[in-house]
């Protein structure tokens, strides 16, 4: 079971709109008000909130997390690890009252998707990290991930794991290859295509299909994409819009092609080798879910140390071999390649975990939807999708 398959892709959502244009003050926090006296030296602990199924566990005892346990053994810092993030908007609703009222959240480290991470950075709800204490991050972070539009220089965020939004299809049932997003609209796929329902999950790949540079897309690009999707809906070309239940549709053959996440397809292919994943010729979206330290966290230095722990190539390799997403530490590839276990060593050659240069050339990190755009864009997209 994939961690990503637990997401509820609800796009602009509800809590996310609360600060985007409903008359609520933006609750921006100035840099000088984000930190507090750090208790890390006295309290050798930290609180880490993550998504379910997003960390390695012991095969025989799932309550044990080898990479996390190794950190505690090496540093003496205990970690209270909770799998409490099931949806970006839901988690936003849980901790935003504290953050907008300049109160601590009770968490030292959280993992959020790019588009939600962008919102936290804009609002000033996360602290800048001290890279002097994170030599592994400074050395090993994938160059392609070092400076997204929402966080120049990655001062406030560090990728936990990454993924690709592309196209999955059943090659045997379809009887041909798919290489381009526009091929999804061919007559032989009428009624056999699904798109992701979430605005933030869907829009970039569809714009890339129009040749748009998604690192700098404009409102006109968004509305053109919406017009095209509206016409496809009217012609009943699109079967439906999905969350991660596209996995079931693709597995049963109810759909032949769909928008999909790379990490899901790795697991789908283990059961059905006819399933293919492609980064379209026009491009695919590279996304990350990133570690961030909320304002007023009690154990900032401890959290920074844990982040750096996961950027040691040996540790990154161990995590990547379990979660099967794009690893943000390219140096982990050599570690996996040298593994004695053949199945583990094979992961080093999987481009959905370590994209090769040809695939990387087609990947881009999309600029996020700004607070000023979100209300209008979410309203239009949700009307198309039926949310």
């Amino acid at each position: 079971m994939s961690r990503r398959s637990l997401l509820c892709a609800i796009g602009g959502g509800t809590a996310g709109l609360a600060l985007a244009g409903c008359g609520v003050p933006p609750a921006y926090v100035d840099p000088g008000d984000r930190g507090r006296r750090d208790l890390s030296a006295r309290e050798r602990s930290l609180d880490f909130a993550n998504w379910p199924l997003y960390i390695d566990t012991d095969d025989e005892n799932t309550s044990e997390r080898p990479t996390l346990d190794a950190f505690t053994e090496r540093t003496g810092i205990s970690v209270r690890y909770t799998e409490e993030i099931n949806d970006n908007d839901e988690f936003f609703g849980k901790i935003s009252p504290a953050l907008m009222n300049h109160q601590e959240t009770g968490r030292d480290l959280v993992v959020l998707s790019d588009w939600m991470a962008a919102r936290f950075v804009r609002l000033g709800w996360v602290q800048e990290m001290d890279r002097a204490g994170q030599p592994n991050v400074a050395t090993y972070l994938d160059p392609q991930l070092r400076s997204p539009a929402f966080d120049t220089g990655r001062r406030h965020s560090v990728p936990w794991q990454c993924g690709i939004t592309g196209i999955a299809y059943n090659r045997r049932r379809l009887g041909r290859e798919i290489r381009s997003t526009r091929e999804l609209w061919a007559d032989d796929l009428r009624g056999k295509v699904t798109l992701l329902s979430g605005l933030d999950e869907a829009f970039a790949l569809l714009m890339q299909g129009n040749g748009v540079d998604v690192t700098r897309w404009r409102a006109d690009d968004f509305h053109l994409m919406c017009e095209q999707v509206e016409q496809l809906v009217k012609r009943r070309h699109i079967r439906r819009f999905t969350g991660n239940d596209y996995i079931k549709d693709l597995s049963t053959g109810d759909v032949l092609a769909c928008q999909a996440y790379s990490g899901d397809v790795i697991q789908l292919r283990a059961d059905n080798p006819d399933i293919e994943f492609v980064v379209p010729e026009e491009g695919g979206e590279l996304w990350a879910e990133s570690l961030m330290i909320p304002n007023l966290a009690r154990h900032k230095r401890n959290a920074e140390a844990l982040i750096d722990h996961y950027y040691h190539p040996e540790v990154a390799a161990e995590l990547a071999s379990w979660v099967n997403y794009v690893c943000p530490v390219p140096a982990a590839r050599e570690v996996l390649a040298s593994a004695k276990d053949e199945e583990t060593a094979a992961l080093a050659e999987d481009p959905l975990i370590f994209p090769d240069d040809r695939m990387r050339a087609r990947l881009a990190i999309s600029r996020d939807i700004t607070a000023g755009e979100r209300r209008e864009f979410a309203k239009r997209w949700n009307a198309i999708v039926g949310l």
Side-chain angles (χ1 to χ4, degrees), residues 29-47:
V29 177
D30 291 321
D33 296 326
R34 297 175 193 175
R36 57 163 294 164
R37 185 168 66 89
D38 195 348
L39 303 179
S40 292
R42 188 177 76 196
E43 298 180 1
R44 304 297 287 166
S45 63
L46 69 97
D47 286 81

Side-chain angles (χ1 to χ4, degrees), residues 137-190:
V137 174
T139 302
Y140 295 116
L141 173 58
D142 189 334
Q144 198 165 10
L145 299 167
R146 286 182 180 268
S147 195
F150 73 87
D151 187 18
T152 304
R154 281 284 183 192
R155 295 177 299 152
H156 305 88
S157 63
V158 176
W160 172 251
Q161 292 292 288
C162 306
I164 301 167
T165 302
I167 296 170
Y169 68 101
N170 190 312
R171 184 172 180 177
R172 183 181 62 83
R173 287 177 180 265
L174 182 58
R176 63 178 174 85
E177 291 185 348
I178 291 180
R179 297 183 178 178
S180 166
T181 299
R182 61 179 174 271
E183 292 179 44
L184 290 175
W185 321 134
D187 290 341
D188 62 345
L189 280 172
R190 184 174 183 270

Side-chain angles (χ1 to χ4, degrees), residues 107-280:
R107 300 157 184 88
D108 300 298
L109 201 56
V110 299
V111 177
L112 296 173
S113 300
D114 273 345
W115 58 273
M116 183 59 78
R119 189 175 305 165
F120 273 61
V121 172
R122 281 198 304 267
L123 289 169
W125 285 3
V126 288
Q127 299 183 60
E128 184 171 341
M129 297 184 202
D130 179 10
R131 289 288 183 258
Q134 296 179 313
N136 290 328
V137 174
T139 302
Y140 295 116
L141 173 58
D142 189 334
Q144 198 165 10
L145 299 167
R146 286 182 180 268
S147 195
F150 73 87
D151 187 18
T152 304
R154 281 284 183 192
R155 295 177 299 152
H156 305 88
S157 63
V158 176
W160 172 251
Q161 292 292 288
C162 306
I164 301 167
T165 302
I167 296 170
Y169 68 101
N170 190 312
R171 184 172 180 177
R172 183 181 62 83
R173 287 177 180 265
L174 182 58
R176 63 178 174 85
E177 291 185 348
I178 291 180
R179 297 183 178 178
S180 166
T181 299
R182 61 179 174 271
E183 292 179 44
L184 290 175
W185 321 134
D187 290 341
D188 62 345
L189 280 172
R190 184 174 183 270
K192 292 290 185 177
V193 175
T194 62
L195 300 180
L196 294 170
S197 59
L199 168 60
D200 295 277
E201 289 78 11
F203 80 90
L205 183 75
L206 298 174
M207 284 189 192
Q208 287 170 308
N210 288 334
V212 174
D213 177 357
V214 293
T215 66
R216 58 185 71 187
W217 60 271
R218 302 174 301 175
D220 288 348
D221 300 318
F222 175 82
H223 289 300
L224 174 60
M225 178 271 293
C226 285
E227 290 170 7
Q228 293 168 336
V229 175
E230 284 170 340
Q231 291 302 312
L232 290 163
V233 170
K234 288 180 181 179
R235 298 203 305 266
R236 298 186 178 180
H237 189 93
I238 297 171
R239 182 182 181 90
R240 67 189 187 106
F241 296 86
T242 73
N244 289 82
D245 43 343
Y246 73 79
I247 295 170
K248 180 180 178 181
D249 290 345
L250 193 61
S251 298
T252 61
D254 288 339
V255 303
L256 298 182
C258 58
Q259 274 188 316
Y261 303 121
S262 55
D264 289 337
V265 175
I266 289 175
Q267 298 192 27
L268 281 172
R269 289 174 63 177
D271 297 322
N272 185 349
D274 294 325
I275 301 297
E276 299 281 353
F277 181 87
V278 62
V279 175

Side-chain angles (χ1 to χ4, degrees), residues 297-314:
R298 289 174 174 265
H299 309 104
K300 182 174 184 285
R301 285 197 301 275
N302 290 347
E304 290 169 341
L306 180 61
I307 293 170
D308 203 56
H309 168 74
Y310 277 98
Y311 269 73
H312 190 288
E314 293 278 353

